DNA sequence: GGGCGCATGTAATGAGTTACATGATTGA
DNA sequence: TCAATCATGTAACTCATTACATGCGCCC
């Protein structure tokens, strides 16, 4: 549920950082793990601050714009551990938007459905090769595990889609 | 993206229905495909109505409360087909909240992490057996395909989790 | 008489995104 | 001098959920 808070607190557990830094890291390295926009992160940091889970200190270095450096508090690290335990123990029940369309495939000609699903398959395979070529061992075990996770599920997705397409195709005589 | 609209329009393509009926069907049979609450469906039907994609007719049968029966319009069926094509062709890029925790597993003792992940594994296996025992061939090919989809991905999830746990365990001497 | 089923919603809340705003410095 | 990088946000909006509200009829 609260994976965004967990992520922010976790990053601050590793080291105190300012918002821009956090956003940079997420955007650059965590794109396939979580999709959180900058204003969301800034707002969340603000909220964590008001809740007393982090403290801010404003710093300016040279002539750069001033930064708000966030530090996790002891209350925050307790919350972090709770969220972490919850996150590790929980399995999310996945539902897929893409399954809805399958319910209505009778409303399009069979060949068109097949063509469209082949498009979907290509998209999955693109994701797959992108993740296969992603660099490893750069940002810790967790990031690598997540990458592996994505790969495995994408392969399952690929297989399933291929088998669906196959069954929709008319059998050769 | 718009799988809720697609679902509602699709159900109205099959036959005109009133809101309660639609909600019943979704709740009873589509729980693993989509998670849409009743007020959402009512509100969406209202919106589709104002957009001109469906028309309402109020009916009362016997002494029951009056029903608003929704019929899809020709504009609506065009939109339906567009949404359907889009839905079939598109692959969603999946991100998993559960991966965030893995980034921080160094912050808990290794045995605790393993215990928590075993909990997660149990939860996945419960979902799996629930879906294995779900009835088939009751609501059309699409629903069965979605069930199969869930099964395949849950098995992949199970394998991945098991392998993660295994790697975290200390090797036997 | 009490609870469930039928049938409709509203209102409040929350989470997150998009688009926009600002302003300084650095590098080509 | 023009664009990109650094660094912060705000405001408006959408989407969906939760909790609540209403009222009749049917069955036990």
């Amino acid at each position: 549920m609260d994976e965004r808070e967990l992520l922010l607190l976790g990053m601050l557990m590793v080291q105190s950082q300012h918002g821009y830094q956090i956003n940079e890291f997420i955007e650059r390295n965590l794109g396939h793990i979580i999709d959180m926009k900058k204003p969301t992160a800034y707002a969340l940091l603000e909220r964590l601050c008001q809740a007393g889970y982090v403290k801010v200190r404003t710093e300016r270095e040279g002539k750069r714009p001033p930064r708000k450096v966030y530090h996790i508090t002891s209350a925050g690290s307790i919350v972090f551990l709770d969220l972490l335990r919850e996150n590790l123990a929980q399995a999310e029940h996945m539902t897929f938007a893409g399954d809805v369309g399958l319910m209505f495939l009778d409303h399009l000609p069979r060949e068109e459905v097949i063509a469209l699903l082949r498009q979907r398959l290509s998209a999955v395979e693109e994701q797959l090769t992108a993740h296969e070529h992603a660099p490893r061992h750069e940002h810790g075990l967790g990031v690598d595990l997540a990458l592996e996770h994505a790969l495995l599920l994408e392969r399952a997705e690929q297989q399933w889609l291929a088998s669906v397409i196959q069954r929709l195709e008319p059998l050769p005589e």
Side-chain angles (χ1 to χ4, degrees), chain A residues 16-19 46 49 55-62 64-71:
Chain A
S16 298
Q17 299 182 62
H18 56 96
E46 171 68 26
C49 209
K55 288 247 171 287
V56 215
R57 206 180 317 153
T58 305
E59 294 180 6
R60 49 221 116 109
E61 193 181 299
R64 304 293 190 79
R67 316 162 152 175
K68 286 191 177 177
V69 181
Y70 295 92
H71 312 262

Side-chain angles (χ1 to χ4, degrees), chain A residues 54-123:
Chain A
V54 301
K55 288 247 171 287
V56 215
R57 206 180 317 153
T58 305
E59 294 180 6
R60 49 221 116 109
E61 193 181 299
K63 306 181 175 178
R64 304 293 190 79
R67 316 162 152 175
K68 286 191 177 177
V69 181
Y70 295 92
H71 312 262
I72 195 160
T73 64
S74 53
S77 56
I78 290 170
V79 171
F80 163 72
L81 289 176
D82 285 348
L83 289 174
L84 178 55
R85 289 195 185 93
E86 195 190 317
N87 181 281
L88 288 174
Q90 219 160 289
E92 50 221 299
H93 48 314
M94 346 189 205
T95 65
F96 303 99
D99 289 352
V100 174
L102 296 174
M103 295 179 56
F104 304 113
L105 37 77
D106 290 337
H107 295 265
L108 288 174
R110 189 55 56 111
E111 320 92 61
E112 192 182 356
V113 172
I114 291 171
L116 292 164
L117 289 179
R118 274 202 236 274
Q119 276 184 50
R120 195 199 280 195
L121 183 56
S122 302

Side-chain angles (χ1 to χ4, degrees), chain A residues 125-145:
Chain A
E125 281 163 352
E126 257 176 61
Q127 291 173 1
L128 201 53
T129 49
H131 284 153
E132 269 162 352
H133 293 32
R136 257 150 255 238
H137 313 306
E138 286 200 348
H139 298 292
L141 178 61
V143 176
D144 288 348
L145 289 175

Side-chain angles (χ1 to χ4, degrees), chain A residues 14 25 29-30 32-33 88 135-151:
Chain A
V14 176
F25 186 81
N29 312 305
L30 268 31
H32 57 281
I33 298 188
L88 288 174
R136 257 150 255 238
H137 313 306
E138 286 200 348
H139 298 292
L141 178 61
V143 176
D144 288 348
L145 289 175
L147 206 62
E148 223 184 275
H149 191 191
L151 272 170

